[in-house]
Amino acid sequence: MKITDIYREKNLQKKSVISLEVFPPKTDAGIETIYQTVAGLTHKPDYISVTYGAMGSLGRENKTLEIAEKIKKEYGIETMHHLTSINNNPEQITEILAEIKAKNVQNILALRGDLPKNTDVTGCPDIYHYAHELITDIKKTGDFDIAAAIYPEGHVDSPLDVENIEHVKRKYDAGANFFISQLFFDNDKFLRLNDYVKNSGIEAPIAAGIMPVLQESQVARMLYFGASLPTRLIKIINKYKDSPEDLQKAGMDYACKQIDDLLARGVDGVHIYTMNKPFVANTMMDHYL
């Protein structure tokens, strides 16, 4: 099933789409934890997205596809396969897409991606510079539903502190069917961008990306992704930084309140970055469905 069909059905019910995101762990035991978490969910999300490493999986076993296929086939939950264009040429992208299509995965999150730090770029393809170029090639290759990223506080490589609407339009015109936002902690920043996009003639659902703060060590990475921390959240982190259990509880509560507010304002969808934490997936799904 295509995710745009899910959005269409939920819209008729006047409900928001709720989705989860997981990533391929490095160990088989970690992968089994994902399956156990999915099997144990009391309430199922509308779909689950599976991330894809910046360097891709061509030439190696594609764990992203393995997980996406199994969740859809064995647990009856629709899935979405991330795909990054960095370090791939069009022929490689075509091969990867053929693998995805053969496993009956119909939804793709198309990203430019970023090379890991200290990567030797000698010999790397220098073809795809923007996500809209990848989206264009995906549309030529197969009948996929395509999601694209959107940034409430601007892309990390952009000097702007807000999303450049022209970038969104290029992705939409290239064939993006819906959007998923980068994580954020100030709902007003997402809602401002949401309204801006909707008023720009872009008729595509937009999901709000939410990631709970569970430990102080997460903060640096979140700032790297361009997410600012509101004063209220900074105070929570400082208050509980010496009590991991209390910080985890407070971080989950903050995220739940964010989602409560977003759902009350009628957002198209909420996309929860689970960090492969079973309690995050279970707590969030039990709270909202």
Side-chain angles (χ1 to χ4, degrees):
M1 185 177 190
K2 292 184 177 179
I3 292 173
T4 47
D5 292 329
I6 296 174
Y7 270 105
R8 196 171 297 114
E9 289 181 6
K10 298 294 287 232
N11 184 57
L12 291 174
Q13 300 169 17
K14 299 188 182 302
K15 294 181 179 180
S16 302
V17 169
I18 306 293
S19 53
L20 302 178
E21 182 163 305
V22 299
F23 62 86
K26 295 180 180 179
T27 66
D28 290 339
I31 292 177
E32 283 305 314
T33 297
I34 290 178
Y35 298 145
Q36 291 168 11
T37 299
V38 173
L41 288 171
T42 305
H43 299 95
K44 305 297 184 183
D46 292 301
Y47 71 90
I48 293 176
S49 69
V50 188
T51 66
Y52 186 79
M55 295 299 289
S57 298
L58 193 65
R60 302 189 300 275
E61 187 177 6
N62 186 345
K63 293 294 184 181
T64 298
L65 183 53
E66 174 188 316
I67 294 168
E69 180 196 20
K70 183 167 180 175
I71 290 175
K72 178 174 181 177
K73 188 175 181 179
E74 296 193 16
Y75 301 103
I77 301 173
E78 193 53 67
T79 55
M80 178 170 67
H81 187 298
H82 291 211
L83 181 59
T84 56
S85 59
I86 199 79
N87 199 41
N88 284 311
N89 60 40
E91 291 75 22
Q92 291 169 320
I93 291 294
T94 298
E95 184 177 338
I96 295 167
L97 291 171
E99 294 173 356
I100 295 171
K101 187 174 183 180
K103 298 298 184 180
N104 196 33
V105 175
Q106 299 173 286
N107 307 286
I108 292 176
L109 174 57
L111 304 163
R112 183 197 69 180
D114 298 293
L115 288 173
K117 291 181 180 180
N118 303 319
T119 297
D120 182 2
V121 298
T122 304
C124 288
D126 185 28
I127 297 171
Y128 296 106
H129 301 104
Y130 300 98
H132 70 84
E133 297 168 336
L134 173 60
I135 294 170
T136 297
D137 278 1
I138 294 174
K139 280 296 183 184
K140 292 177 182 176
T141 303
D143 185 25
F144 295 99
D145 245 21
I146 303 175
I150 197 168
Y151 304 88
E153 299 180 71
H155 190 277
V156 66
D157 290 339
S158 170
L160 301 175
D161 63 355
V162 295
E163 174 72 282
N164 184 336
I165 199 65
E166 291 305 316
H167 289 168
V168 182
K169 285 183 175 178
R170 290 189 190 104
K171 295 175 186 179
Y172 179 67
D173 291 341
N177 301 103
F178 60 103
F179 293 90
I180 298 173
S181 90
Q182 179 60 277
L183 61 94
F184 61 91
F185 300 101
D186 182 342
N187 285 2
D188 287 340
K189 291 184 177 180
F190 170 80
L191 293 166
R192 177 185 62 179
L193 176 59
N194 186 71
D195 290 343
Y196 189 28
V197 172
K198 302 287 188 184
N199 292 330
S200 298
I202 296 174
E203 299 177 353
I206 303 174
I210 300 296
M211 176 185 285
V213 176
L214 304 179
Q215 51 193 19
E216 189 181 12
S217 60
Q218 283 179 264
V219 173
R221 186 162 179 78
M222 290 171 170
L223 294 175
Y224 170 79
F225 282 122
S228 62
L229 301 181
T231 300
R232 185 161 64 92
L233 183 55
I234 293 173
K235 288 181 177 179
I236 289 172
I237 294 170
N238 288 334
K239 181 178 180 179
Y240 298 115
K241 63 182 180 180
D242 296 322
S243 177
E245 185 176 335
D246 289 332
L247 178 55
Q248 180 175 288
K249 182 179 178 181
M252 288 292 290
D253 183 62
Y254 186 96
C256 286
K257 288 178 178 177
Q258 267 193 279
I259 299 175
D260 283 339
D261 178 59
L262 291 165
L263 295 179
R265 299 198 197 195
V267 296
D268 297 321
V270 172
H271 190 68
I272 302 166
Y273 298 103
T274 70
M275 298 165 283
N276 284 9
K277 304 288 187 184
F279 74 90
V280 172
N282 281 286
T283 299
M284 293 294 193
M285 296 311 301
D286 288 347
H287 188 81
Y288 296 106
L289 295 177

